[in-house]
Amino acid sequence: IVLFGIDQYADATIPSLVNAISDAEGVGQLFADKMGYEILVVKNATRTDMVRTLNQLSTEMEMNDSVVIYYAGHGY
């Protein structure tokens, strides 16, 4: 499971958040503890970071693997 939590944005016109990272970490911990999933929390990711993370993941996935992507942050 890849979880993106963004509290701080590079664009100063986008207001900061206070719970997005902790929400992503909490959801990730739930999936890890209760269901045994491997998790990756990416904090304050830029668009480039997200694309890089997903591209890397695509090279590591195998035919029958599945992935869950969780995003916590603004919808800009």
Side-chain angles (χ1 to χ4, degrees):
I1 296 178
V2 178
L3 304 104
F4 296 103
I6 305 174
D7 284 339
Q8 305 295 319
Y9 291 83
D11 183 342
T13 64
I14 301 173
S16 297
L17 296 171
V18 294
N19 294 324
I21 290 174
S22 61
D23 288 350
E25 290 173 331
V27 169
Q29 201 61 53
L30 177 71
F31 272 92
D33 292 346
K34 300 290 183 181
M35 296 180 249
Y37 282 85
E38 293 179 29
I39 64 167
L40 171 62
V41 178
V42 184
K43 301 174 186 177
N44 293 322
T46 63
R47 182 177 190 268
T48 300
D49 295 331
M50 288 186 220
V51 169
R52 184 180 301 123
T53 299
L54 296 174
N55 283 340
Q56 179 63 37
L57 185 63
S58 73
T59 65
E60 297 169 357
M61 301 294 294
E62 299 200 14
M63 177 80 65
N64 293 317
D65 289 343
S66 58
V67 66
V68 174
I69 300 169
Y70 177 90
Y71 175 86
H74 285 298
Y76 288 91

